[in-house]
Amino acid sequence: MRNRTLFLLLFLTLPALLLAQTAVKPHPSPMKSKSPNAAAVHQSAIVIDTHADTPQRFLDEHFDLADPLGSGNLNLDSIHQGNLAAEFFSIWVEPALYKGQYAHRTLELIDAVKQQAAKHPDQIEFVTSPEGIEQAHRDQKFAALMGIEGGHSIEDSLALLRQYYALGVRYMTLTWSNSNNWADSSGDIDNTSIPHTKEGLTEFGKDVVYEMNRLGMMIDISHVSDRTFYRTLVITRAPVIASHSSARALCDAPRNMTDDMLRAVANSGGPNSKGGVVDVNFYSAFVSQAYRDADKAQQPEVDKAVADLKARYKAEGKEAPQAEIDKLKRSFADRIPRPPLSMVIDHIDHIVKVAGIDHVGLGSDFDGVDGQLPEGLNSPADLPKITEALMDRGYSADDCRKILGGNLLRVFREVEAVSKELQAENRPRITDKQPFDKPQK
Ligand SMILES: [Zn+2]
């Protein structure tokens, strides 16, 4: 009996002892939830995330969604644990590395997403519509969708844009961090050596926006310059999304939205529109000003370390592998304390206050930020914590379901409705060129 008690005592205290030894820094005991039914509310929602960069892992690392997470943020286990219903996988083509082969790389990434659905037909459904998301959810399958991140993928061709739509792409971020020939990016707008448009969009850029409206492809204004943002909002007939941007009032990153921009997204679309949605990015340097400042401060050191690494490889006539560069960057990032998850909730809360409960959603940027995510927010398995934290702050079950995915579904439906209207109207184009014409250089 005594032995058993002793054993039991050891058994119970050993993990705590081990934890005490291995823990790097003391964690405060987690706050007790004030919302006991938060788990049920989360389970009742159709949870949609509008941005994950996993396709590069599929293609370059042969990562399979059924694999363990490894250094990544998203896999089937975590998707099921966190009740994630749908993910918009980002089709992102690195502009310098793939110069001259943007379409080629775009198609390979699209194929990589479809291959995942083909490999796991019992768990993943490739879908292209709001109804598709809902049907997959009813069938207890994870819905995989796609968004293109960066208009350079269309190589100045509306034909390519239409074909990407035909392949199932349902949003396009007009630019990534690089300006293209027809739209400007917040990433290089201050760089005078790069040519920019006069008004945020060229005439061809306006045609792209119009053609996206006509096709029923959501317009994503994350990453664009402020001028491109406003120019796009003036001409779009459908509401827009910011697939992975947070609030600039809380963290001063050009990738985040000012309060005025948040209100503009909420009012985007035609006169009868219910408005767009801003999907909050979890990236620590967009969430926390302190993290951002610390990250910026050590940037010269990071740049030097990366340059040294590249030089070492070059000396051997080789190119430094991206995985190794990422690992190096990550080791620097790990020196900065991660912001608390509550700061993500602060962004959601701020956007609700400024733009309204109908205009905020989730745009994690999982697998796109070198693991620089707030404490306790490492994968979709942690998404129920967001619901719990929202309810702790007084958000109702209905409010939570809107934020978790309902708002995005509403915008997606409206974008499709506008598309039907435009196709029926057969009205003159934004510019005098027809979208079926080749762009004039
Ligand atoms: Zn991005």
Side-chain angles (χ1 to χ4, degrees), residues 47 78 87 111 149-150 176 197 201 204 268 276 296-297 310 328 334 399:
V47 183
S78 64
E87 180 66 68
D111 181 69
E149 182 173 24
W176 179 61
T197 70
L201 289 170
F204 176 69
S268 65
K296 234 180 173 170
K310 285 182 175 170
L328 183 67
D334 287 345
D399 289 346

Side-chain angles (χ1 to χ4, degrees), residues 346-369:
D346 293 343
H347 280 264
I348 295 176
D349 216 23
H350 180 83
I351 298 171
V352 168
K353 286 194 178 99
V354 171
I357 186 69
D358 295 317
H359 306 289
V360 61
L362 307 178
S364 69
D365 220 346
F366 282 145
D367 285 331
V369 294

Side-chain angles (χ1 to χ4, degrees), residues 7 35 57 72 101 168 199 202 218 230 251 257 260 413 439:
F7 175 75
S35 319
R57 296 195 79 202
Q101 9 175 0
E199 301 178 330
T202 64
M218 287 184 276
Y230 285 109
C251 181
M257 306 275 119
D260 188 64
R413 275 199 192 89

Side-chain angles (χ1 to χ4, degrees), residues 111-159:
D111 181 69
V113 173
K114 294 189 172 192
Q115 290 294 329
Q116 285 298 312
K119 270 193 219 167
H120 306 286
D122 50 328
Q123 294 186 74
I124 307 174
E125 183 118 15
F126 178 75
V127 309
T128 57
S129 66
E131 294 74 29
I133 294 174
E134 289 169 325
Q135 186 58 50
H137 188 64
R138 280 194 292 275
D139 296 342
Q140 297 188 314
K141 285 187 196 176
F142 166 65
L145 298 98
M146 298 183 301
I148 284 180
E149 182 173 24
H152 56 286
S153 272
I154 69 167
E155 296 191 8
D156 302 338
S157 165
L158 295 176

Side-chain angles (χ1 to χ4, degrees), residues 48 277-281 348 359-363 402-405 407:
I48 304 172
V277 62
V278 176
D279 298 317
V280 169
N281 191 321
I348 295 176
H359 306 289
V360 61
L362 307 178
K402 282 183 176 182
I403 294 166
L404 292 168
N407 289 335

Side-chain angles (χ1 to χ4, degrees), residues 148 153-155 157-167 169 172 182 204 207-213 215 217:
I148 284 180
S153 272
I154 69 167
E155 296 191 8
S157 165
L158 295 176
L160 259 61
L161 175 67
R162 285 188 285 271
Q163 289 314 303
Y164 294 150
Y165 179 86
L167 290 171
V169 174
M172 183 166 79
W182 47 271
F204 176 69
D207 272 345
V208 172
V209 168
Y210 174 80
E211 190 63 353
M212 288 176 74
N213 281 171
L215 288 166
M217 192 187 281

Side-chain angles (χ1 to χ4, degrees), residues 330-355:
R330 217 172 165 137
S331 70
F332 277 96
D334 287 345
R335 295 181 186 175
I336 312 170
R338 295 168 72 175
L341 183 142
S342 64
M343 285 189 131
V344 172
I345 311 301
D346 293 343
H347 280 264
I348 295 176
D349 216 23
H350 180 83
I351 298 171
V352 168
K353 286 194 178 99
V354 171

